[in-house]
Amino acid sequence: IRINGNVLEYVEVNSENYNDLGVTAKDASNNVLSGVSVATSPNLDLTQIGTYLRSYTVTANGYSNIAYRTIIVRDTTGPVIEFPGDLTLSLSQVDSYDFKSDITVTDNSGGAVEVTVTDNIHSLAGSYTVEYRATDASGNVSTKLRRVVVTE
């Protein structure tokens, strides 16, 4: 019995599907055998980060052979930071503005995302840059810059 494809497979969490390439099983005379049974422990769940072991078993003439594939569902994609409308924000009362109030942050894993905002804005009129940094539970980081114009 021979694994088709890789013995170790990586799949992004919340992927729509996993394409299992299966195995090829042959007897001592090099004839292809059918009837390969497949089991995965725990059950493969593409919505859950984790390690899954898939076994392939073929039985012929009273003998069984087993091959294994490890499938790792992981999150390697950073969160998505979105602003409504333009990336430029004009403010007259910068001291009371909550820079997190109008952003949307989503993550493919569906888990919690920590968002930090870094700025050097003060009340003087001018143009400033605000950095938004989003980190998901897997440690993936995304950053996005926003221009803020402070008016008098």
Side-chain angles (χ1 to χ4, degrees), residues 12-131:
E12 190 69 16
V13 67
N14 285 318
S15 296
E16 290 192 23
N17 59 19
Y18 167 69
N19 182 24
D20 187 342
L21 297 177
V23 295
T24 301
K26 295 183 179 183
D27 64 14
S29 301
N30 211 27
N31 297 312
V32 175
L33 300 172
S34 60
V36 175
S37 65
V38 179
T40 305
S41 179
N43 287 332
L44 182 60
D45 184 350
L46 299 179
T47 67
Q48 296 294 315
I49 293 171
T51 301
Y52 301 86
L53 184 64
R54 180 162 285 182
S55 64
Y56 306 86
T57 306
V58 64
T59 303
N61 300 323
Y63 296 98
S64 292
N65 280 313
I66 302 174
Y68 297 97
R69 181 188 322 270
T70 301
I71 303 164
I72 298 177
V73 177
R74 62 185 182 172
D75 176 16
T76 61
T77 304
V80 176
I81 304 168
E82 296 178 293
F83 302 110
D86 195 357
L87 288 179
T88 300
L89 183 63
S90 294
L91 299 173
S92 60
Q93 296 295 320
V94 71
D95 293 337
S96 62
Y97 188 76
D98 177 6
F99 286 99
K100 290 184 183 178
S101 67
D102 65 344
I103 66 167
T104 303
V105 180
T106 56
D107 189 57
N108 66 324
S109 71
V113 178
E114 179 184 335
V115 179
T116 57
V117 178
T118 306
D119 68 75
N120 63 348
I121 298 174
H122 46 78
S123 58
L124 294 177
S127 180
Y128 303 92
T129 301
V130 176
E131 179 185 81

